[in-house]
Each structure stands twice: as structure tokens, then as C-alpha cells.
Amino acid sequence: MDVRALVFDVFGTVVDWRAGVAREVRRLLPGVDGEALADAWRGRYAPSMDRVRRGELPWTGLDDLHRASLDELLPEFGAPDAPEDVRAELVLAWHRLDPWPDSVEGLTRLKARYVVASLSNGNVALLVDMGKHGGLPWDTVLSAELFGHYKPDAEVYDGAARLLGLPPERVLMVAAHVDDLVAARSRGLRTAYVHRPQERGPQAPPPPAEDPDADLSVASLTDLATRLGA
Amino acid sequence: MDVRALVFDVFGTVVDWRAGVAREVRRLLPGVDGEALADAWRGRYAPSMDRVRRGELPWTGLDDLHRASLDELLPEFGAPDAPEDVRAELVLAWHRLDPWPDSVEGLTRLKARYVVASLSNGNVALLVDMGKHGGLPWDTVLSAELFGHYKPDAEVYDGAARLLGLPPERVLMVAAHVDDLVAARSRGLRTAYVHRPQERGPQAPPPPAEDPDADLSVASLTDLATRLGA
């Protein structure tokens, strides 16, 4: 592979959304099951973006989609009267997710040899906040927001390669989700699968250990750095 | 000032374009006066962007504008037959400009307290390369390319605040050029002027020591960090 840039999915691949959201739910809504609300909230993630992808909604940033999903869920979780400031603060939980233990070391090693950038459905402000919170050493933040399309729309993968000034085969998409890699491959990017067995918690069916269609399957971002000689 | 993010002009403000371009001209076109070509090339910078700003050209990235200007200038500098690979490499000189001596320390200190981002007419790939070359610790790269408009068009300043999720008065534009700050202020951003007396070389008329209309005037990015308590 003659790869120059690595672009990373973030939710689940670089950061642990479930633990981070659950922690903020427990802090801000004592008595609500943090993990259960985190799972339900994340469950609305793809359907909410699909409404934008199908054109049923105009472009709407992820913070706003998160807020709408939260407002729908709070009555189900016994908190129909949660005040405005608590709702706004809960949405910011997604800006303050902690990296997986290997992420900062892996990205730092990879940055010495490659361009490293996010390629996430999170909005730019969310990704910038998350980078500062967790010390993620991005060369730059790339976001669906820059393209007005959510992954897995082709415009996101095409746009990332275009902004980086590279042909798609010199860009490696790194993700813990097979569907993201399928879409990236269909646009000509190289792909690396990261196994994140804890992403959905101990009760959920585990993700596959490898993606046989990816160029690489790795167990962590430090493993990825080692495999790429970084 | 209740500023959360600092956005930086880069050519002349953070990096020394004149010395960097001249060095590459001397390396790739021995016998050509490096500083003279650098000055002439930079002289075509604003006029070339103005053609895009007036709609005479569709959106054209800075690498392509740089290339067109170079092709026009080479005959004047006695190098009408410079080969394709030399021309392509010269355009990349703008990706490899060195920071002013205070830039990395200043940005690093500021990053600990603020979001720090470029806000440059350079294209994203140029800014990413420059950041890696010089070790500029951006939280993210913001570029005119993301907005399809060149500074001083309003869309660039408005777009930066929008992507950062901030009202304009919480964004501080930092530049060594008064016209950039005038435009930023007209869109509601706060402004800081950096005095860069070496930008255009020893023969050029020096820039003003201060901008009385800016919120701050400083002598360096370390000075800016000190003034902002970072």
C-alpha cells in the first residue's frame, strides 16, 4: 500500500461513546440508567442521519440530531421534565468522550509517518472539542459537515480524498464498523478494520474479530501503527 | 474578551513565505533570483484570488492559482523552459514554509487555553502539509477552500465561526495584515494584529507597528500568548 493519509471513524473506533455518555447521564440525571439511555440514544443515530440522507430533512448537524433524539427519549426514561440546561449539557457529552486506552499512543505514532485526520459524522465543533478533551493529535478534523452528507454517502469519502489532495487509493479509512469500510472501499479508499469488542457493552453481540475484505484487520490503533511501520 | 477560539492567517502571520519560497527557487532554478521571484509570485496572489472572488473564474484552489501565476512569471525570470516536474515541485514550496521563530511556542501555549485553527486562503492539503512540516499544533485546519470563497469575503469569517459552533465575538482573528482584520471585524470577530516587519524583506516599506482598530496589537505569537494569559 502506498498510503499517505489515514482517516478515522471516531465514535467507537477512537473513543468509547457508551461509557462517556453513560457517565454524563448518571451525573446529570441521577436515577436514570446511563448505559441504557446511551444505548437507546445511539440506536437513534443511524435512523436520524438516514432522514437527512434521504432528503426528508435539510442538512442538520449531529449536535442537533442528538438533541432531537434525546428529547424523544427522555420521557421513556422517566425524565420528561429535564430542564433545558441539562438537555444542552447532555448533548455535549458527545464532545467529551474518552479515547480508548490505545488511541492517543497509536495516533501519535501514526502521525509521525502519515497524515492523520478524523472522518466522522460528528460536526466540526464536536470533533474539535473531543480532540482537545482527549488529546487526539489530529493533523486536521474532517467531518461529514464539510460535505453536507453523512457517511456512508459517497460524497464524504470522495471529499476527504479531494481535500487531502490525494487519489483515493492513497487514503486509508480506519473504522470499527464494516459498513463504513464497505462504503469507503466502493470509492477506492484502502481500508483497515479495528476490532472494538467493548463498543456496545458486555451484553451486545460482539463484532467480528476481523473484516476479511479489509486490507488490514487490527486489534488496536497501536497494533495498526506497528503493522504500518510507524 | 470572552474568546474561545483563535483563528490565524498563515502566510506572513505564522510562516515566512518569502524566505521559504526563495530557498526552493534557488534549489530548483539555480541562477534565478529567489527573493525576486518570491516577491513577484506573491504579487500575483491577491489579483489571482480576486478573479475568483469576482466570479471570472470558478472556484480554483490556491495550488492551482499558484501554478498559473508561476507559469506566467517563469519567462520573465529567464526560465521559460523549466520542466513540468520543477514547476510542480516549486508549487509545493508553499506547503513547506518555515514558521517564524515564535510561532510554534506561541501556538502551543495558546492551544492549552483556546481552540487554535488556521483560517487561510491556502487549500486544505497545503495547510496540512505545512502544519506537519513546521510542527504547527492546530486543533484543526480551516481554509477558504471549505467555504468556496477567499478572504476577505464574508463567507470565510462567517463560516469559521459557524464550523466552530461559536458566535463571532467569541472568535479572535489573528493576522499580520490590516485588511484581513478589517474584514473579520465587519463580520463581528474580535481581532489581533501581529507586527511582522520581515514579511516582505528588508527593502519593502515596513508594515505599521500596531493596528489601532484591533483589540490587540502584538509583536509575536508568544507575546499574544502572554497577553491572553496562556
Side-chain angles (χ1 to χ4, degrees):
Chain A
M1 292 198 296
D2 180 27
V3 162
R4 162 75 180 149
L6 279 59
V7 296
F8 293 79
D9 174 65
V10 303
F11 299 116
T13 300
V14 176
V15 300
D16 179 358
W17 57 264
R18 189 171 190 265
V21 170
R23 178 186 62 211
E24 289 291 90
V25 170
R26 285 192 298 268
R27 182 173 73 84
L28 292 160
L29 294 174
V32 171
D33 181 332
E35 280 75 12
L37 179 50
D39 290 341
W41 204 352
R42 179 71 175 184
R44 303 216 168 198
Y45 174 74
S48 68
M49 292 187 297
D50 283 345
R51 293 189 60 202
V52 176
R53 296 180 59 228
R54 287 192 302 258
E56 294 170 23
L57 280 180
W59 176 258
T60 306
L62 191 62
D63 278 343
D64 294 326
L65 294 178
H66 274 153
R67 174 59 190 263
S69 297
L70 178 69
D71 288 344
E72 290 166 7
L73 286 167
L74 285 174
E76 298 177 26
F77 282 80
D81 301 322
E84 170 60 30
D85 61 337
V86 165
R87 293 169 192 245
E89 189 77 4
L90 278 168
V91 167
L92 293 178
W94 295 88
H95 294 223
R96 298 173 190 142
L97 304 174
D98 291 341
W100 296 111
D102 53 273
S103 292
V104 172
E105 181 191 338
L107 290 173
T108 301
R109 287 169 56 191
L110 289 161
K111 183 177 183 170
R113 185 155 174 175
Y114 301 96
V115 170
V116 293
S118 63
L119 187 60
S120 167
N121 284 333
N123 43 304
V124 170
L126 180 157
L127 294 167
V128 166
D129 285 347
M130 178 194 285
K132 287 189 98 64
H133 169 82
L136 305 174
W138 302 127
D139 286 307
T140 193
V141 157
L142 296 178
S143 158
E145 186 181 19
L146 301 180
F147 312 112
H149 283 269
Y150 281 115
K151 292 190 291 182
D153 284 356
E155 287 84 350
V156 183
Y157 309 97
D158 296 354
R162 175 174 48 79
L163 288 180
L164 294 170
L166 296 169
E169 67 272 18
R170 298 201 64 202
V171 180
L172 178 70
M173 178 82 219
V174 183
H177 313 120
V178 168
D179 57 342
D180 201 354
L181 300 182
V182 167
R185 247 185 333 265
S186 78
R187 306 309 302 171
L189 280 68
R190 311 302 295 256
T191 55
Y193 174 76
V194 188
H195 183 47
R196 292 297 192 193
Q198 306 303 318
E199 179 182 356
R200 295 180 184 279
Q203 315 300 330
E210 303 199 338
D211 175 359
D213 294 322
D215 293 294
L216 287 168
S217 289
V218 297
S220 66
L221 300 192
T222 47
D223 186 14
L224 180 64
T226 300
R227 296 282 294 278
L228 293 176
Chain B
M1 291 199 296
D2 180 28
V3 162
R4 163 73 180 151
L6 279 60
V7 296
F8 293 79
D9 173 65
V10 303
F11 299 117
T13 300
V14 176
V15 300
D16 180 358
W17 57 263
R18 190 170 189 265
V21 171
R23 178 186 62 214
E24 289 291 271
V25 170
R26 285 192 298 269
R27 180 172 74 84
L28 293 160
L29 295 174
V32 171
D33 181 332
E35 280 74 12
L37 179 50
D39 290 341
W41 203 352
R42 180 70 175 186
R44 302 214 168 198
Y45 174 74
S48 68
M49 292 187 297
D50 284 345
R51 293 188 62 202
V52 176
R53 295 180 58 228
R54 287 192 302 259
E56 294 169 25
L57 281 180
W59 177 257
T60 307
L62 191 61
D63 278 344
D64 294 326
L65 295 178
H66 274 153
R67 174 59 190 264
S69 297
L70 178 68
D71 288 344
E72 290 167 7
L73 287 167
L74 285 174
E76 298 177 26
F77 281 80
D81 301 322
E84 170 59 31
D85 61 337
V86 166
R87 293 169 193 245
E89 189 77 4
L90 278 168
V91 167
L92 293 178
W94 296 90
H95 293 222
R96 299 173 190 143
L97 304 175
D98 291 342
W100 295 110
D102 54 272
S103 292
V104 173
E105 180 190 337
L107 290 174
T108 301
R109 287 169 55 191
L110 289 161
K111 183 177 183 170
R113 185 153 175 178
Y114 302 96
V115 171
V116 294
S118 62
L119 187 60
S120 168
N121 284 332
N123 43 304
V124 170
L126 180 158
L127 294 167
V128 167
D129 285 347
M130 178 194 285
K132 287 189 96 68
H133 169 82
L136 304 175
W138 303 127
D139 286 307
T140 193
V141 159
L142 296 179
S143 160
E145 185 180 21
L146 301 180
F147 312 113
H149 283 270
Y150 281 115
K151 292 189 294 182
D153 284 357
E155 286 85 351
V156 183
Y157 309 97
D158 296 354
R162 176 175 47 79
L163 288 180
L164 294 171
L166 295 170
E169 66 271 17
R170 297 201 64 200
V171 180
L172 179 69
M173 177 83 219
V174 183
H177 312 120
V178 168
D179 57 341
D180 200 354
L181 300 182
V182 167
R185 245 181 339 262
S186 78
R187 306 310 301 171
L189 279 68
R190 310 305 295 257
T191 55
Y193 174 75
V194 187
H195 184 47
R196 292 295 193 194
Q198 307 303 318
E199 179 182 358
R200 295 179 184 279
Q203 315 300 331
E210 302 200 337
D211 176 358
D213 295 322
D215 294 294
L216 287 169
S217 289
V218 298
S220 66
L221 299 192
T222 47
D223 186 14
L224 180 63
T226 300
R227 295 283 294 277
L228 293 176

